[in-house]
Amino acid sequence: MKKNGLFVAIFCLLNVFAFSAVNKDIQIYKLKNDIPVYVKSDANSQMTAIYAVVKGGVTCINPSLSGLEELVFEMLTKGSQNYSYEDIKSFSYRTHSGVYSSSINEGSIYGMSCINKYFDETFEVFADGFFNPLFAPREFELLMQQNRQNIQAQMNDPESILFYYLNLMVYENHPYAAKVSPTPESIPNLTLDAVKTYYYSMLDSKRFSIVCSGNVDTEKLLVLLNKSFGNIPSGSVDFPETNILPVKIAGDPVVLVHEDASGAAFVLRAFASPSIKEDDYAAAKITSEIFSDIMSNVVREKNGICYTPMSGVVSSVAPFGVEFLYRVTDLKNFISAMNDSRVIIEAGNTIKAIDTEGNYILEPISDRLQGYINSYITAKYSSQVTVNGIANRMAGSLLQFGDVSYSDMLTEKVKSITVQDVKRVFKKYWIDESSRWFAVVGPADEEKITF
């Protein structure tokens, strides 16, 4: 596309709406309908990624329609008026560029990435997919078949069943009662008409943001976005913000039975954990890694309770944490072994080794804390150094925090975690919070498991 006089004049007009940088790397602009555009440029990159970020998610959907928003966004990638799904797949194969979608609790993204050489072609496919979706019945039915197969596989796998019912019961009567993906209960209710209705209902500029990373020609980008996303009308009312309260987890143990769990059960303890918006969240992530290593030494290596033990916390506004035991063969002594694990971290220690007599060689958490912090940061950002990864991080930050740079600020919080933080957070959530046990066992083991 050549920069003629009109192009430059339009950009000058658009640039009036540019804001100061969010940080030294990210610039914010606004389209003519006030949709914010966040641009993180890298002049050395050979790639560009653009994400349309749309607020919505599970709080906008009845549980009986779980997965509806995800289906809508997936269908946007399955063909448009000018590009069939076969055209899109062929284009993606030829150019190594393409369009895709993703959904989380708070909303969804519709994105594109491309080698710069194919930017114009990719943007045309991207924009046509969003504004002129084909919603082809054949592609919808193929997508639904895939979802039905996924659900069938899930309900035939003891581990998946455990986490399915955990989520179902933890979020009962909660704004997160609806799920991102289709469920066994919702799959019969998900129709192409419902997809179309939801698509048109979300075309409200107040719900949209755009993020872009890579080798960005900002002048061209803003003109193209204004000709497409800039024409989305504004709704008559503000998008409602749902009050997401923390979960409260308590109750008698839940024991489910599945033939494939015979002789090797799946067991977990769930408890409320800190919201991603709370200062304790970063410390809880590091604490769960430390505790997982301790459990591995105590529960598996010394006591032979299960194949793999681990602990983790969910990244959510209303999350929970778990202690999870994979393939438990000792159904009577797992709790005592887990209690032994907790005593070690409560005392501010980790396990360096187990000697030949079965004694623990302890090591202060302080000696290893920096290693855990470094590992967390490396794991979190190793997949986010590409233009897609950067755009994905920006989009996730917008949906979850309303702040494009929050993920980067979270990294700074992780760097400052102390041993006192680890001990305090462990006591507050792992020890003092009420909890509930969940298990999937074989038919012969239902009466044998001891809580």
Side-chain angles (χ1 to χ4, degrees), residues 308-323:
T308 304
M310 59 80 65
S311 186
V313 293
V314 174
S315 299
S316 166
V317 176
F320 58 86
V322 299
E323 296 168 348

Side-chain angles (χ1 to χ4, degrees), residues 6 42 62 79 112 185 232 238 243 408 445:
L6 178 60
D42 180 359
N62 188 284
M112 61 162 273
E185 294 79 18
I232 296 174
D238 289 337
N243 183 27
D408 297 323
D445 297 326

Side-chain angles (χ1 to χ4, degrees), residues 17-47:
F17 299 101
F19 289 83
S20 60
V22 176
N23 58 36
K24 64 181 180 180
D25 298 319
I26 300 175
Q27 296 289 332
I28 310 180
Y29 304 86
K30 274 195 175 181
L31 301 184
K32 60 188 179 183
N33 57 356
D34 288 334
I35 291 178
V37 180
Y38 302 85
V39 178
K40 186 177 178 68
S41 296
D42 180 359
N44 297 317
S45 176
Q46 299 300 309
M47 301 285 294

